[in-house]
mmCIF file of all heavy atoms in Angstrom:
data_model
loop_
_atom_site.group_PDB
_atom_site.id
_atom_site.type_symbol
_atom_site.label_atom_id
_atom_site.label_comp_id
_atom_site.label_asym_id
_atom_site.label_seq_id
_atom_site.Cartn_x
_atom_site.Cartn_y
_atom_site.Cartn_z
ATOM 1 N N CYS A 15 0.871 -1.180 0.009
ATOM 2 C CA CYS A 15 -0.014 0.000 -0.014
ATOM 3 C C CYS A 15 0.894 1.223 0.013
ATOM 4 O O CYS A 15 2.081 1.083 0.245
ATOM 5 C CB CYS A 15 -0.916 0.050 1.248
ATOM 6 S SG CYS A 15 -0.007 0.218 2.789
ATOM 7 N N ASP A 16 0.304 2.396 -0.267
ATOM 8 C CA ASP A 16 1.009 3.642 0.019
ATOM 9 C C ASP A 16 0.775 3.939 1.496
ATOM 10 O O ASP A 16 -0.358 4.144 1.932
ATOM 11 C CB ASP A 16 0.451 4.781 -0.824
ATOM 12 C CG ASP A 16 1.273 6.055 -0.733
ATOM 13 O OD1 ASP A 16 1.772 6.320 0.381
ATOM 14 O OD2 ASP A 16 1.421 6.742 -1.737
ATOM 15 N N PRO A 17 1.831 3.938 2.306
ATOM 16 C CA PRO A 17 1.643 4.120 3.728
ATOM 17 C C PRO A 17 1.047 5.465 4.129
ATOM 18 O O PRO A 17 0.498 5.616 5.191
ATOM 19 C CB PRO A 17 3.035 3.943 4.324
ATOM 20 C CG PRO A 17 3.971 4.297 3.200
ATOM 21 C CD PRO A 17 3.241 3.824 1.958
ATOM 22 N N TYR A 18 1.160 6.454 3.168
ATOM 23 C CA TYR A 18 0.616 7.774 3.469
ATOM 24 C C TYR A 18 -0.612 8.099 2.615
ATOM 25 O O TYR A 18 -0.886 9.261 2.328
ATOM 26 C CB TYR A 18 1.725 8.808 3.280
ATOM 27 C CG TYR A 18 2.719 8.820 4.363
ATOM 28 C CD1 TYR A 18 3.933 8.171 4.266
ATOM 29 C CD2 TYR A 18 2.452 9.495 5.585
ATOM 30 C CE1 TYR A 18 4.866 8.157 5.276
ATOM 31 C CE2 TYR A 18 3.369 9.492 6.594
ATOM 32 C CZ TYR A 18 4.597 8.827 6.453
ATOM 33 O OH TYR A 18 5.527 8.822 7.495
ATOM 34 N N GLN A 19 -1.352 7.069 2.218
ATOM 35 C CA GLN A 19 -2.620 7.289 1.525
ATOM 36 C C GLN A 19 -3.560 8.023 2.524
ATOM 37 O O GLN A 19 -3.305 8.039 3.738
ATOM 38 C CB GLN A 19 -3.202 6.022 1.044
ATOM 39 C CG GLN A 19 -3.546 4.998 2.113
ATOM 40 C CD GLN A 19 -4.105 3.711 1.548
ATOM 41 O OE1 GLN A 19 -5.095 3.682 0.861
ATOM 42 N NE2 GLN A 19 -3.403 2.579 1.812
ATOM 43 N N PRO A 20 -4.633 8.643 2.028
ATOM 44 C CA PRO A 20 -5.442 9.501 2.856
ATOM 45 C C PRO A 20 -5.930 8.942 4.197
ATOM 46 O O PRO A 20 -6.025 9.666 5.170
ATOM 47 C CB PRO A 20 -6.683 9.808 1.990
ATOM 48 C CG PRO A 20 -6.118 9.766 0.608
ATOM 49 C CD PRO A 20 -5.089 8.667 0.602
ATOM 50 N N ILE A 21 -6.127 7.622 4.277
ATOM 51 C CA ILE A 21 -6.616 7.027 5.521
ATOM 52 C C ILE A 21 -5.617 7.166 6.649
ATOM 53 O O ILE A 21 -5.994 7.140 7.828
ATOM 54 C CB ILE A 21 -6.986 5.510 5.260
ATOM 55 C CG1 ILE A 21 -7.883 5.012 6.406
ATOM 56 C CG2 ILE A 21 -5.734 4.692 5.133
ATOM 57 C CD1 ILE A 21 -8.426 3.633 6.103
ATOM 58 N N GLU A 22 -4.324 7.334 6.326
ATOM 59 C CA GLU A 22 -3.313 7.494 7.328
ATOM 60 C C GLU A 22 -3.517 8.776 8.128
ATOM 61 O O GLU A 22 -3.105 8.865 9.325
ATOM 62 C CB GLU A 22 -1.914 7.476 6.671
ATOM 63 C CG GLU A 22 -0.754 7.972 7.539
ATOM 64 C CD GLU A 22 -0.455 7.074 8.736
ATOM 65 O OE1 GLU A 22 -0.984 5.947 8.838
ATOM 66 O OE2 GLU A 22 0.317 7.544 9.632
ATOM 67 N N GLU A 23 -4.137 9.778 7.539
ATOM 68 C CA GLU A 23 -4.377 11.043 8.242
ATOM 69 C C GLU A 23 -5.284 10.786 9.447
ATOM 70 O O GLU A 23 -5.146 11.459 10.487
ATOM 71 C CB GLU A 23 -5.041 12.038 7.302
ATOM 72 C CG GLU A 23 -4.974 13.467 7.796
ATOM 73 C CD GLU A 23 -5.218 14.457 6.701
ATOM 74 O OE1 GLU A 23 -5.563 14.095 5.572
ATOM 75 O OE2 GLU A 23 -5.085 15.707 6.993
ATOM 76 N N LYS A 24 -6.175 9.800 9.340
ATOM 77 C CA LYS A 24 -7.050 9.494 10.479
ATOM 78 C C LYS A 24 -6.384 8.517 11.441
ATOM 79 O O LYS A 24 -6.390 8.752 12.666
ATOM 80 C CB LYS A 24 -8.326 8.858 9.927
ATOM 81 C CG LYS A 24 -9.250 8.306 11.039
ATOM 82 C CD LYS A 24 -10.467 7.625 10.469
ATOM 83 C CE LYS A 24 -11.315 7.036 11.598
ATOM 84 N NZ LYS A 24 -12.549 6.347 11.100
ATOM 85 N N TYR A 25 -5.795 7.420 10.950
ATOM 86 C CA TYR A 25 -5.290 6.380 11.825
ATOM 87 C C TYR A 25 -3.869 6.574 12.346
ATOM 88 O O TYR A 25 -3.496 6.027 13.344
ATOM 89 C CB TYR A 25 -5.378 5.000 11.136
ATOM 90 C CG TYR A 25 -6.764 4.439 11.101
ATOM 91 C CD1 TYR A 25 -7.613 4.642 10.037
ATOM 92 C CD2 TYR A 25 -7.256 3.695 12.205
ATOM 93 C CE1 TYR A 25 -8.917 4.114 10.014
ATOM 94 C CE2 TYR A 25 -8.548 3.199 12.192
ATOM 95 C CZ TYR A 25 -9.369 3.374 11.099
ATOM 96 O OH TYR A 25 -10.651 2.875 11.102
ATOM 97 N N ARG A 26 -3.053 7.295 11.563
ATOM 98 C CA ARG A 26 -1.695 7.654 12.017
ATOM 99 C C ARG A 26 -0.846 6.437 12.361
ATOM 100 O O ARG A 26 -0.025 6.453 13.249
ATOM 101 C CB ARG A 26 -1.739 8.607 13.192
ATOM 102 C CG ARG A 26 -2.511 9.867 12.923
ATOM 103 C CD ARG A 26 -2.760 10.725 14.163
ATOM 104 N NE ARG A 26 -1.531 11.274 14.696
ATOM 105 C CZ ARG A 26 -1.009 12.429 14.333
ATOM 106 N NH1 ARG A 26 -1.574 13.159 13.398
ATOM 107 N NH2 ARG A 26 0.086 12.881 14.894
ATOM 108 N N LEU A 27 -1.063 5.338 11.640
ATOM 109 C CA LEU A 27 -0.346 4.086 11.972
ATOM 110 C C LEU A 27 1.130 4.162 11.611
ATOM 111 O O LEU A 27 1.960 3.659 12.378
ATOM 112 C CB LEU A 27 -1.035 2.913 11.258
ATOM 113 C CG LEU A 27 -2.476 2.559 11.678
ATOM 114 C CD1 LEU A 27 -2.942 1.318 10.943
ATOM 115 C CD2 LEU A 27 -2.531 2.338 13.175
ATOM 116 N N ILE A 28 1.445 4.767 10.488
ATOM 117 C CA ILE A 28 2.882 4.873 10.151
ATOM 118 C C ILE A 28 3.604 5.742 11.171
ATOM 119 O O ILE A 28 4.709 5.454 11.554
ATOM 120 C CB ILE A 28 3.064 5.414 8.711
ATOM 121 C CG1 ILE A 28 2.917 4.292 7.701
ATOM 122 C CG2 ILE A 28 4.385 6.131 8.543
ATOM 123 C CD1 ILE A 28 4.079 3.275 7.764
ATOM 124 N N ARG A 29 2.963 6.835 11.567
ATOM 125 C CA ARG A 29 3.608 7.686 12.570
ATOM 126 C C ARG A 29 3.841 6.913 13.890
ATOM 127 O O ARG A 29 4.895 7.005 14.476
ATOM 128 C CB ARG A 29 2.770 8.933 12.840
ATOM 129 C CG ARG A 29 3.445 9.891 13.828
ATOM 130 C CD ARG A 29 2.770 11.244 13.937
ATOM 131 N NE ARG A 29 3.497 12.071 14.885
ATOM 132 C CZ ARG A 29 4.516 12.877 14.574
ATOM 133 N NH1 ARG A 29 4.953 12.910 13.357
ATOM 134 N NH2 ARG A 29 5.127 13.577 15.492
ATOM 135 N N LYS A 30 2.825 6.127 14.263
ATOM 136 C CA LYS A 30 2.966 5.308 15.507
ATOM 137 C C LYS A 30 4.124 4.331 15.345
ATOM 138 O O LYS A 30 4.886 4.073 16.287
ATOM 139 C CB LYS A 30 1.665 4.593 15.817
ATOM 140 C CG LYS A 30 0.534 5.501 16.227
ATOM 141 C CD LYS A 30 -0.745 4.715 16.447
ATOM 142 C CE LYS A 30 -1.887 5.657 16.829
ATOM 143 N NZ LYS A 30 -3.178 4.885 16.983
ATOM 144 N N CYS A 31 4.252 3.744 14.147
ATOM 145 C CA CYS A 31 5.360 2.785 13.900
ATOM 146 C C CYS A 31 6.704 3.477 13.957
ATOM 147 O O CYS A 31 7.686 2.949 14.502
ATOM 148 C CB CYS A 31 5.145 2.086 12.592
ATOM 149 S SG CYS A 31 3.777 0.859 12.578
ATOM 150 N N LEU A 32 6.792 4.650 13.373
ATOM 151 C CA LEU A 32 8.026 5.409 13.400
ATOM 152 C C LEU A 32 8.443 5.717 14.860
ATOM 153 O O LEU A 32 9.628 5.645 15.212
ATOM 154 C CB LEU A 32 7.871 6.732 12.607
ATOM 155 C CG LEU A 32 7.786 6.557 11.093
ATOM 156 C CD1 LEU A 32 7.405 7.887 10.441
ATOM 157 C CD2 LEU A 32 9.047 6.031 10.494
ATOM 158 N N GLU A 33 7.438 6.045 15.662
ATOM 159 C CA GLU A 33 7.712 6.341 17.084
ATOM 160 C C GLU A 33 8.192 5.075 17.800
ATOM 161 O O GLU A 33 9.058 5.162 18.688
ATOM 162 C CB GLU A 33 6.436 6.827 17.763
ATOM 163 C CG GLU A 33 6.052 8.254 17.297
ATOM 164 C CD GLU A 33 4.682 8.699 17.771
ATOM 165 O OE1 GLU A 33 3.857 7.822 18.159
ATOM 166 O OE2 GLU A 33 4.408 9.905 17.785
ATOM 167 N N VAL A 34 7.725 3.899 17.373
ATOM 168 C CA VAL A 34 8.207 2.630 17.972
ATOM 169 C C VAL A 34 9.680 2.414 17.576
ATOM 170 O O VAL A 34 10.488 2.060 18.410
ATOM 171 C CB VAL A 34 7.359 1.459 17.515
ATOM 172 C CG1 VAL A 34 7.998 0.129 17.941
ATOM 173 C CG2 VAL A 34 5.935 1.553 18.135
ATOM 174 N N PHE A 35 10.025 2.666 16.314
ATOM 175 C CA PHE A 35 11.415 2.482 15.897
ATOM 176 C C PHE A 35 12.350 3.423 16.704
ATOM 177 O O PHE A 35 13.448 3.008 17.037
ATOM 178 C CB PHE A 35 11.552 2.784 14.399
ATOM 179 C CG PHE A 35 11.109 1.694 13.501
ATOM 180 C CD1 PHE A 35 10.019 1.884 12.653
ATOM 181 C CD2 PHE A 35 11.752 0.478 13.513
ATOM 182 C CE1 PHE A 35 9.598 0.832 11.796
ATOM 183 C CE2 PHE A 35 11.357 -0.567 12.675
ATOM 184 C CZ PHE A 35 10.270 -0.371 11.814
ATOM 185 N N LEU A 36 11.862 4.584 17.034
ATOM 186 C CA LEU A 36 12.681 5.505 17.841
ATOM 187 C C LEU A 36 12.921 5.015 19.278
ATOM 188 O O LEU A 36 13.808 5.532 19.929
ATOM 189 C CB LEU A 36 11.976 6.899 17.876
ATOM 190 C CG LEU A 36 12.179 7.731 16.598
ATOM 191 C CD1 LEU A 36 11.249 8.936 16.659
ATOM 192 C CD2 LEU A 36 13.598 8.197 16.435
ATOM 193 N N GLU A 37 12.145 4.075 19.693
ATOM 194 C CA GLU A 37 12.355 3.480 21.035
ATOM 195 C C GLU A 37 13.576 2.549 21.045
ATOM 196 O O GLU A 37 14.017 2.146 22.136
ATOM 197 C CB GLU A 37 11.101 2.658 21.417
ATOM 198 C CG GLU A 37 9.855 3.484 21.633
ATOM 199 C CD GLU A 37 8.668 2.589 21.921
ATOM 200 O OE1 GLU A 37 8.830 1.376 22.212
ATOM 201 O OE2 GLU A 37 7.512 3.096 21.822
ATOM 202 N N PHE A 38 14.164 2.241 19.880
ATOM 203 C CA PHE A 38 15.245 1.304 19.830
ATOM 204 C C PHE A 38 16.451 1.907 19.101
ATOM 205 O O PHE A 38 16.935 1.376 18.094
ATOM 206 C CB PHE A 38 14.799 0.015 19.117
ATOM 207 C CG PHE A 38 13.688 -0.715 19.776
ATOM 208 C CD1 PHE A 38 12.369 -0.394 19.429
ATOM 209 C CD2 PHE A 38 13.932 -1.696 20.695
ATOM 210 C CE1 PHE A 38 11.297 -1.057 20.071
ATOM 211 C CE2 PHE A 38 12.868 -2.372 21.347
ATOM 212 C CZ PHE A 38 11.551 -2.023 20.993
ATOM 213 N N PRO A 39 16.976 3.014 19.628
ATOM 214 C CA PRO A 39 18.097 3.725 18.905
ATOM 215 C C PRO A 39 19.371 2.872 18.826
ATOM 216 O O PRO A 39 20.132 3.018 17.870
ATOM 217 C CB PRO A 39 18.324 4.971 19.771
ATOM 218 C CG PRO A 39 17.815 4.587 21.134
ATOM 219 C CD PRO A 39 16.645 3.698 20.883
ATOM 220 N N LEU A 40 19.626 2.004 19.770
ATOM 221 C CA LEU A 40 20.857 1.216 19.784
ATOM 222 C C LEU A 40 20.886 0.172 18.680
ATOM 223 O O LEU A 40 21.987 -0.246 18.272
ATOM 224 C CB LEU A 40 21.060 0.560 21.158
ATOM 225 C CG LEU A 40 21.256 1.523 22.328
ATOM 226 C CD1 LEU A 40 21.423 0.733 23.622
ATOM 227 C CD2 LEU A 40 22.438 2.435 22.091
ATOM 228 N N LEU A 41 19.727 -0.236 18.221
ATOM 229 C CA LEU A 41 19.692 -1.224 17.136
ATOM 230 C C LEU A 41 20.053 -0.603 15.757
ATOM 231 O O LEU A 41 20.459 -1.326 14.836
ATOM 232 C CB LEU A 41 18.292 -1.897 17.045
ATOM 233 C CG LEU A 41 17.890 -2.819 18.198
ATOM 234 C CD1 LEU A 41 16.519 -3.378 17.932
ATOM 235 C CD2 LEU A 41 18.926 -3.935 18.336
ATOM 236 N N GLU A 42 19.915 0.708 15.639
ATOM 237 C CA GLU A 42 20.210 1.440 14.424
ATOM 238 C C GLU A 42 19.630 0.734 13.200
ATOM 239 O O GLU A 42 20.271 0.421 12.222
ATOM 240 C CB GLU A 42 21.711 1.586 14.233
ATOM 241 C CG GLU A 42 22.346 2.503 15.279
ATOM 242 C CD GLU A 42 23.784 2.869 14.961
ATOM 243 O OE1 GLU A 42 24.326 2.364 13.993
ATOM 244 O OE2 GLU A 42 24.353 3.703 15.688
ATOM 245 N N ILE A 43 18.299 0.488 13.267
ATOM 246 C CA ILE A 43 17.568 -0.107 12.155
ATOM 247 C C ILE A 43 17.524 0.839 10.990
ATOM 248 O O ILE A 43 17.179 2.008 11.148
ATOM 249 C CB ILE A 43 16.149 -0.492 12.632
ATOM 250 C CG1 ILE A 43 16.209 -1.439 13.818
ATOM 251 C CG2 ILE A 43 15.371 -1.128 11.511
ATOM 252 C CD1 ILE A 43 14.894 -1.616 14.519
ATOM 253 N N GLU A 44 17.817 0.346 9.810
ATOM 254 C CA GLU A 44 17.763 1.156 8.609
ATOM 255 C C GLU A 44 16.351 1.096 8.040
ATOM 256 O O GLU A 44 15.801 0.009 7.794
ATOM 257 C CB GLU A 44 18.780 0.670 7.570
ATOM 258 C CG GLU A 44 18.820 1.577 6.327
ATOM 259 C CD GLU A 44 19.902 1.137 5.346
ATOM 260 O OE1 GLU A 44 20.672 0.229 5.675
ATOM 261 O OE2 GLU A 44 19.940 1.713 4.232
ATOM 262 N N LEU A 45 15.750 2.266 7.791
ATOM 263 C CA LEU A 45 14.368 2.352 7.322
ATOM 264 C C LEU A 45 14.312 2.953 5.940
ATOM 265 O O LEU A 45 15.049 3.886 5.618
ATOM 266 C CB LEU A 45 13.521 3.170 8.266
ATOM 267 C CG LEU A 45 13.405 2.714 9.713
ATOM 268 C CD1 LEU A 45 12.558 3.693 10.501
ATOM 269 C CD2 LEU A 45 12.814 1.310 9.841
ATOM 270 N N MET A 46 13.434 2.418 5.124
ATOM 271 C CA MET A 46 13.076 3.027 3.836
ATOM 272 C C MET A 46 11.574 3.230 3.802
ATOM 273 O O MET A 46 10.807 2.303 3.995
ATOM 274 C CB MET A 46 13.491 2.130 2.665
ATOM 275 C CG MET A 46 12.883 2.549 1.339
ATOM 276 S SD MET A 46 13.404 4.159 0.739
ATOM 277 C CE MET A 46 14.997 3.770 0.005
ATOM 278 N N VAL A 47 11.179 4.480 3.584
ATOM 279 C CA VAL A 47 9.769 4.809 3.482
ATOM 280 C C VAL A 47 9.470 5.196 2.052
ATOM 281 O O VAL A 47 10.231 6.012 1.446
ATOM 282 C CB VAL A 47 9.356 5.996 4.421
ATOM 283 C CG1 VAL A 47 7.907 6.345 4.208
ATOM 284 C CG2 VAL A 47 9.658 5.620 5.869
ATOM 285 N N LEU A 48 8.450 4.610 1.450
ATOM 286 C CA LEU A 48 8.154 4.888 0.060
ATOM 287 C C LEU A 48 6.711 5.309 -0.127
ATOM 288 O O LEU A 48 5.804 4.669 0.377
ATOM 289 C CB LEU A 48 8.389 3.652 -0.837
ATOM 290 C CG LEU A 48 8.106 3.836 -2.329
ATOM 291 C CD1 LEU A 48 9.008 4.893 -2.934
ATOM 292 C CD2 LEU A 48 8.300 2.492 -3.054
ATOM 293 N N THR A 49 6.470 6.434 -0.819
ATOM 294 C CA THR A 49 5.118 6.989 -0.902
ATOM 295 C C THR A 49 4.995 7.836 -2.201
ATOM 296 O O THR A 49 5.978 8.139 -2.836
ATOM 297 C CB THR A 49 4.826 7.850 0.299
ATOM 298 O OG1 THR A 49 3.440 8.351 0.228
ATOM 299 C CG2 THR A 49 5.730 9.051 0.404
ATOM 300 N N LYS A 50 3.785 8.242 -2.470
ATOM 301 C CA LYS A 50 3.493 9.196 -3.539
ATOM 302 C C LYS A 50 2.769 10.401 -2.938
ATOM 303 O O LYS A 50 2.280 11.253 -3.684
ATOM 304 C CB LYS A 50 2.594 8.604 -4.610
ATOM 305 C CG LYS A 50 3.237 7.481 -5.388
ATOM 306 C CD LYS A 50 2.267 6.895 -6.426
ATOM 307 C CE LYS A 50 2.977 5.870 -7.317
ATOM 308 N NZ LYS A 50 2.185 4.644 -7.410
ATOM 309 N N SER A 51 2.728 10.490 -1.613
ATOM 310 C CA SER A 51 1.859 11.444 -0.944
ATOM 311 C C SER A 51 2.635 12.591 -0.257
ATOM 312 O O SER A 51 3.708 12.382 0.333
ATOM 313 C CB SER A 51 1.022 10.705 0.113
ATOM 314 O OG SER A 51 0.283 11.633 0.886
ATOM 315 N N THR A 52 2.004 13.756 -0.277
ATOM 316 C CA THR A 52 2.599 14.905 0.436
ATOM 317 C C THR A 52 2.417 14.784 1.979
ATOM 318 O O THR A 52 3.055 15.474 2.709
ATOM 319 C CB THR A 52 1.925 16.218 -0.029
ATOM 320 O OG1 THR A 52 0.502 16.117 0.238
ATOM 321 C CG2 THR A 52 2.151 16.434 -1.493
ATOM 322 N N LEU A 53 1.534 13.879 2.388
ATOM 323 C CA LEU A 53 1.295 13.654 3.831
ATOM 324 C C LEU A 53 2.562 13.222 4.557
ATOM 325 O O LEU A 53 2.677 13.411 5.774
ATOM 326 C CB LEU A 53 0.176 12.654 4.039
ATOM 327 C CG LEU A 53 -0.270 12.364 5.491
ATOM 328 C CD1 LEU A 53 -0.699 13.641 6.211
ATOM 329 C CD2 LEU A 53 -1.328 11.287 5.513
ATOM 330 N N VAL A 54 3.502 12.674 3.820
ATOM 331 C CA VAL A 54 4.737 12.204 4.434
ATOM 332 C C VAL A 54 5.467 13.326 5.182
ATOM 333 O O VAL A 54 6.153 13.107 6.198
ATOM 334 C CB VAL A 54 5.701 11.579 3.359
ATOM 335 C CG1 VAL A 54 6.201 12.656 2.412
ATOM 336 C CG2 VAL A 54 6.812 10.813 3.993
ATOM 337 N N LEU A 55 5.275 14.585 4.775
ATOM 338 C CA LEU A 55 5.935 15.683 5.459
ATOM 339 C C LEU A 55 5.433 15.896 6.871
ATOM 340 O O LEU A 55 6.087 16.552 7.689
ATOM 341 C CB LEU A 55 5.773 16.989 4.659
ATOM 342 C CG LEU A 55 6.547 17.050 3.338
ATOM 343 C CD1 LEU A 55 6.260 18.361 2.604
ATOM 344 C CD2 LEU A 55 8.071 16.861 3.534
#
């Protein structure tokens, strides 16, 4: 899916997941986010 399709504005699931990744700074997980949406900003 596009993680930033319009429904994300309501559910904010990608944002919640990004916040979870930030809980584990020592693991230094490499992330790639792919979208076609301006909501990513």
Side-chain angles (χ1 to χ4, degrees):
C15 65
D16 188 322
Y18 285 97
Q19 62 182 301
I21 199 172
E22 167 65 12
E23 197 162 5
K24 173 183 178 181
Y25 281 95
R26 302 170 68 86
L27 294 184
I28 276 292
R29 184 170 180 87
K30 291 177 182 178
C31 287
L32 291 170
E33 290 171 342
V34 171
F35 282 117
L36 282 169
E37 294 175 13
F38 299 89
L40 296 181
L41 291 181
E42 293 192 354
I43 301 167
E44 185 175 352
L45 301 178
M46 166 64 81
V47 177
L48 180 61
T49 183
K50 294 179 175 131
S51 173
T52 59
L53 182 59
V54 68
L55 290 179

